[in-house]
Amino acid sequence: MLPRLPLASYVDSLVEFLVEHVSGFTRAGSEFMLGLLDNFEQMLLLPPPWLFILLLAGIAWWVTRKPGLSVFVVLGFGLLWNLGLWVPSISTLALVLSATLLSVLIGVPCGIMAAMYPAVRKVVMPVLDVMQTMPAFVYLIPAIPFFGIGKVSAVVATVIFSVPPAIRLTCLGIQQVPQDLVECSEAFGATRMQRLYKLELPLAMPTIVAGVNQTIMLALSMAVIAAMIGARGLGGEVWKAIQRLNIGMGFEAGLGIVIVAITLDRLFRALAQRSSGKCA
């Protein structure tokens, strides 16, 4: 019988080494990032709820040009306000938007590099396969030693979990640009960067926005899991309900997550459709 491979010991040793030599830097960055997250959340909480709801409904109308989503925003977020879940809802919204922004800042450049260079793509794609098949709970374990318990660890774990669609769909969108258009741009003397910024990215924009939409949905799916390491918001309310076996409280918080998810999903779907129409 073959001896058991001490894989867990190797991983523990690697994490201990990294914590010993890197945790000072990551903890300092955590304090800075926590300040940004708190400021962003306070900015969203600054307007009174009724004004925030009207502004969000106005954005929904501007993006979709249809009344359906605006009415849903008014009724849905009005219900959250009525249920006393306004602050947790805004906290969840801030966490999701922050994680999505970081995922886009990481994912889009990585996707561009993967599309431009086959060698990069051969390295990146297997890593994404591992990231997308790894259970979400696993990402919480290394985040705590490096960033501590709280919102920063929740955002970091959420970014790692939700960034693969942004990378994959950015790469896919650029690869799907018709080859005859690429050859035409080369015939007119366009450089590689000109071709990227003036042809490939505009045509790939609907696919990239669809990747951002999937990133948002994955970030929202981490809301409850991230509550286990100190993230507040609607996920925290669900986690409290689980601990207290309070079904009604859990239903209200879960309904809040659904309302936020549907709102963001419809907004970014409409953005993707508008991007597709402009490119057409």
Side-chain angles (χ1 to χ4, degrees), residues 45 67 79 124 137 148 185 199 209 243 245 261:
L45 288 170
L79 176 63
V124 168
F137 288 93
S185 67
L199 174 67
V209 174
Q243 293 175 316
L245 294 178

Side-chain angles (χ1 to χ4, degrees), residues 12 33 38 59 84-85 87 94 132 150 175 177 194 260 264 267:
D12 288 339
M33 191 172 176
D38 287 338
I59 293 172
L85 294 173
V87 174
Q132 289 187 291
Q175 287 181 314
V177 174
Q194 288 174 332
V260 174
L264 294 177
L267 280 173

Side-chain angles (χ1 to χ4, degrees), residues 52-121:
F52 183 93
I53 293 172
L54 290 178
L55 290 173
L56 187 58
I59 293 172
W61 169 261
W62 177 76
V63 171
T64 63
R65 300 298 182 184
K66 296 179 181 179
L69 183 58
S70 299
V71 173
F72 177 82
V73 167
V74 172
L75 294 178
F77 280 81
L79 176 63
L80 295 178
W81 184 19
N82 177 264
L83 293 175
L85 294 173
W86 184 254
V87 174
S89 299
I90 296 301
S91 180
T92 296
L93 188 63
L95 187 146
V96 170
L97 292 178
S98 301
T100 301
L101 177 61
L102 288 174
S103 296
V104 170
L105 292 176
I106 296 170
V108 172
C110 288
I112 292 172
M113 295 292 291
M116 292 175 62
Y117 304 105
V120 175
R121 186 163 62 251

Side-chain angles (χ1 to χ4, degrees), residues 122-174:
K122 290 179 180 179
V123 174
V124 168
M125 292 305 168
V127 174
L128 295 182
D129 292 337
V130 174
M131 292 173 65
Q132 289 187 291
T133 54
M134 187 75 70
F137 288 93
V138 176
Y139 296 121
L140 304 180
I141 300 172
I144 297 173
F146 291 104
F147 299 98
I149 294 177
K151 288 189 290 186
V152 176
S153 289
V155 169
V156 171
T158 301
V159 168
I160 296 173
F161 181 69
S162 61
V163 75
I167 300 176
R168 283 190 184 277
L169 289 178
T170 299
C171 179
L172 178 64
I174 294 175

